[in-house]
Protein backbone atom coordinates (compact mmCIF):
# COMPACT_ATOMS: atom_id res chain seq x y z
CA UNK A 1 0.00 0.00 0.00
CA UNK A 2 1.21 3.48 -0.72
CA UNK A 3 -0.10 6.66 0.83
CA UNK A 4 0.68 9.95 -0.82
CA UNK A 5 1.82 12.63 1.60
CA UNK A 6 1.07 16.03 0.07
CA UNK A 7 3.93 17.14 -2.13
CA UNK A 8 4.86 13.84 -3.70
CA UNK A 9 6.46 12.09 -0.72
CA UNK A 10 5.14 8.54 -0.60
CA UNK A 11 4.58 6.72 2.67
CA UNK A 12 4.54 2.97 2.07
CA UNK A 13 3.02 0.90 4.81
CA UNK A 14 4.18 -2.69 4.66
CA UNK A 15 5.76 -4.58 1.82
CA UNK A 16 2.58 -6.57 1.20
CA UNK A 17 -0.76 -5.11 0.09
CA UNK A 18 -3.16 -4.67 2.97
CA UNK A 19 -5.97 -7.21 3.11
CA UNK A 20 -9.52 -6.88 4.38
CA UNK A 21 -8.52 -8.25 7.80
CA UNK A 22 -5.93 -5.51 8.34
CA UNK A 23 -6.31 -3.50 11.53
CA UNK A 24 -5.26 -0.30 9.74
CA UNK A 25 -7.91 1.18 7.46
CA UNK A 26 -6.04 2.44 4.39
CA UNK A 27 -8.60 5.16 3.67
CA UNK A 28 -8.16 6.52 7.20
CA UNK A 29 -4.38 6.51 6.81
CA UNK A 30 -4.67 8.25 3.43
CA UNK A 31 -7.02 10.85 4.86
CA UNK A 32 -4.69 11.64 7.75
CA UNK A 33 -1.59 11.65 5.51
CA UNK A 34 -3.25 14.17 3.21
CA UNK A 35 -3.42 16.58 6.15
CA UNK A 36 0.38 16.70 6.55
CA UNK A 37 1.47 19.82 4.62
CA UNK A 38 4.26 19.32 2.09
CA UNK A 39 6.16 22.16 3.74
CA UNK A 40 6.02 20.42 7.11
CA UNK A 41 9.32 19.16 8.46
CA UNK A 42 7.39 16.06 9.55
CA UNK A 43 6.53 14.88 6.01
CA UNK A 44 9.99 13.56 5.04
CA UNK A 45 10.43 12.14 8.56
CA UNK A 46 7.27 10.06 8.20
CA UNK A 47 8.58 8.61 4.95
CA UNK A 48 11.97 7.85 6.54
CA UNK A 49 10.38 6.21 9.58
CA UNK A 50 8.37 3.83 7.41
CA UNK A 51 11.30 3.13 5.07
CA UNK A 52 13.51 2.24 8.04
CA UNK A 53 10.86 -0.09 9.48
CA UNK A 54 10.38 -1.77 6.12
CA UNK A 55 14.13 -2.24 5.66
CA UNK A 56 14.80 -3.56 9.17
CA UNK A 57 11.60 -4.15 11.18
CA UNK A 58 13.35 -5.91 14.06
CA UNK A 59 15.81 -3.06 14.73
CA UNK A 60 14.71 -1.43 17.99
CA UNK A 61 16.33 1.82 16.86
CA UNK A 62 13.72 2.09 14.10
CA UNK A 63 10.82 0.98 16.30
CA UNK A 64 11.11 3.86 18.76
CA UNK A 65 11.16 7.66 18.40
CA UNK A 66 12.37 10.02 21.13
CA UNK A 67 9.75 12.78 21.25
CA UNK A 68 12.17 15.06 23.08
CA UNK A 69 14.80 14.87 20.32
CA UNK A 70 15.01 16.94 17.12
CA UNK A 71 13.01 14.49 15.00
CA UNK A 72 10.43 13.99 17.74
CA UNK A 73 9.95 17.74 18.10
CA UNK A 74 9.23 18.02 14.38
CA UNK A 75 6.65 15.24 14.62
CA UNK A 76 5.01 16.67 17.75
CA UNK A 77 4.71 20.08 16.07
CA UNK A 78 2.53 18.52 13.33
CA UNK A 79 -0.64 17.02 14.86
CA UNK A 80 -1.50 15.13 11.65
CA UNK A 81 1.91 13.41 11.76
CA UNK A 82 1.26 12.20 15.30
CA UNK A 83 -2.21 11.02 14.32
CA UNK A 84 -0.78 9.16 11.33
CA UNK A 85 1.84 7.39 13.46
CA UNK A 86 -0.83 6.40 16.00
CA UNK A 87 -3.05 5.15 13.17
CA UNK A 88 -0.33 2.85 11.83
CA UNK A 89 0.46 1.43 15.26
CA UNK A 90 2.83 3.67 17.19
CA UNK A 91 2.00 4.14 20.88
CA UNK A 92 3.19 6.80 23.31
CA UNK A 93 5.29 5.35 26.11
CA UNK A 94 6.60 8.12 28.29
CA UNK A 95 8.64 10.47 26.11
CA UNK A 96 8.84 7.97 23.22
CA UNK A 97 6.67 6.71 20.39
CA UNK A 98 7.07 2.94 20.08
CA UNK A 99 5.90 0.67 17.26
CA UNK A 100 3.26 -1.54 18.86
CA UNK A 101 3.38 -5.30 18.69
CA UNK A 102 6.10 -7.67 17.69
CA UNK A 103 8.01 -7.27 14.43
CA UNK A 104 6.48 -9.26 11.55
CA UNK A 105 7.31 -12.97 11.48
CA UNK A 106 10.18 -13.73 9.15
CA UNK A 107 11.46 -10.16 9.30
CA UNK A 108 15.13 -9.83 8.58
Amino acid sequence: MSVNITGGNVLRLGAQPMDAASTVNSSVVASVAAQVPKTSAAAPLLVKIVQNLERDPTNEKFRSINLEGKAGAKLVSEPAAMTLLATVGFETQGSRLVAAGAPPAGAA
Side-chain angles (χ1 to χ4, degrees):
M1 173 189 146
S2 293
V3 176
N4 187 16
I5 295 179
T6 307
N9 293 321
V10 175
L11 176 61
R12 294 176 51 231
L13 302 174
Q16 302 298 321
M18 298 180 80
D19 60 24
S22 173
T23 59
V24 179
N25 182 319
S26 61
S27 64
V28 171
V29 173
S31 174
V32 174
Q35 296 175 30
V36 179
K38 71 177 182 178
T39 57
S40 169
L45 282 174
L46 291 169
V47 173
K48 188 68 173 174
I49 290 165
V50 173
Q51 287 174 339
N52 285 343
L53 279 172
E54 283 184 331
R55 186 177 71 244
D56 192 358
T58 61
N59 188 332
E60 288 301 317
K61 176 181 171 184
F62 299 146
R63 298 180 58 78
S64 178
I65 303 163
N66 178 4
L67 295 176
E68 296 175 345
K70 289 180 185 179
K74 291 176 185 177
L75 294 169
V76 169
S77 71
E78 184 58 61
M82 296 297 290
T83 301
L84 179 62
L85 290 170
T87 301
V88 299
F90 276 83
E91 299 174 344
T92 303
Q93 294 181 5
S95 63
R96 303 191 76 77
L97 276 180
V98 179

